[in-house]
Amino acid sequence: MTPSDLVVPTYVQMLGALSKWLDKAAAQRPADEADALLASRLAPDMFPLATQIRFACRQAQEGVFRLAEQDFPPALQTLLDEGRNAGDRPGTLADAQARIAETLAVVEATVGAIAIESSAPIAHALPNGMTLDLTAEQYARDWALPQFYFHVVTAYAILRAEGIELGKADYAAHMIGYFRPPAAS
């Protein structure tokens, strides 16, 4: 399995799930109340839902660009800045859905474009000046996916904490295709 085989389908299925959760929020609340969810947080020192969504999108895009050995486009910095400022300007659910759709397009466009070897070195610089020296496999498994899932799971938890009716079937909807019908008695 290549790093691309690991991250691309995961990003696609979980961003699709995130989009559906936002659809459910929009269906369960009047428009202004649904948009207000974007300012919700799990704890005072955590980023709001709007940031979690943008950071999940940022992580997915950063992951595929890094694994495709491509420079980050300016739009990735815009996404980061929007996320950092979402506490003051959370936007609307339509804005969040647009970011998810843009990210899905970016991720799906990399299918077949990522040819990095699992053992290829990746130096991942962190904002604090430290650098992680990883292989492409380690980057995908130990950094890219955990960072992405952190923001997706936090978004799910915020929506649940705000009373949006979501359950495990919403979180793992991609697993339905793997179910085998019970054996006939």
Side-chain angles (χ1 to χ4, degrees):
M1 176 175 279
T2 68
S4 175
D5 294 336
L6 186 61
V7 299
V8 170
T10 300
Y11 292 154
V12 170
Q13 70 195 18
M14 294 311 297
L15 287 168
L18 179 57
S19 177
K20 288 178 180 152
W21 306 339
L22 297 179
D23 286 342
K24 281 192 156 193
Q28 293 175 28
R29 299 276 174 93
D32 59 331
E33 288 181 30
D35 286 342
L37 289 168
L38 292 168
S40 300
R41 303 167 187 260
L42 285 180
D45 64 342
M46 289 184 77
F47 284 119
L49 177 60
T51 300
Q52 302 302 334
I53 294 165
R54 283 167 176 79
F55 282 5
C57 291
R58 161 90 184 183
Q59 290 296 327
Q61 289 189 41
E62 182 179 310
V64 295
F65 284 121
R66 193 176 302 282
L67 290 171
E69 300 177 288
Q70 296 177 4
D71 291 334
F72 296 161
L76 207 51
Q77 184 62 45
T78 300
L79 193 55
L80 180 62
D81 293 341
E82 282 181 6
R84 288 179 176 158
N85 297 318
D88 295 326
R89 294 187 302 277
T92 64
L93 286 181
D95 297 332
Q97 290 284 25
R99 292 297 175 253
I100 294 168
E102 291 163 4
T103 300
L104 282 168
V106 167
V107 170
E108 289 169 342
T110 65
V111 173
I114 299 175
I116 194 167
E117 293 290 324
S118 293
S119 60
I122 289 184
H124 178 62
L126 299 173
N128 64 4
M130 297 176 73
T131 300
L132 297 170
D133 289 314
L134 307 160
T135 65
E137 178 182 341
Q138 291 166 328
Y139 171 77
R141 182 192 64 223
D142 300 336
W143 180 265
L145 287 176
Q147 292 296 316
F148 171 74
Y149 269 115
F150 174 85
H151 297 293
V152 171
V153 169
T154 302
Y156 176 89
I158 290 169
L159 290 168
R160 287 277 307 186
E162 291 297 320
I164 301 303
E165 294 176 20
L166 296 171
K168 188 72 163 234
D170 297 294
Y171 183 80
H174 61 280
M175 296 302 295
I176 291 172
Y178 299 108
F179 281 110
R180 180 180 342 137
S185 304

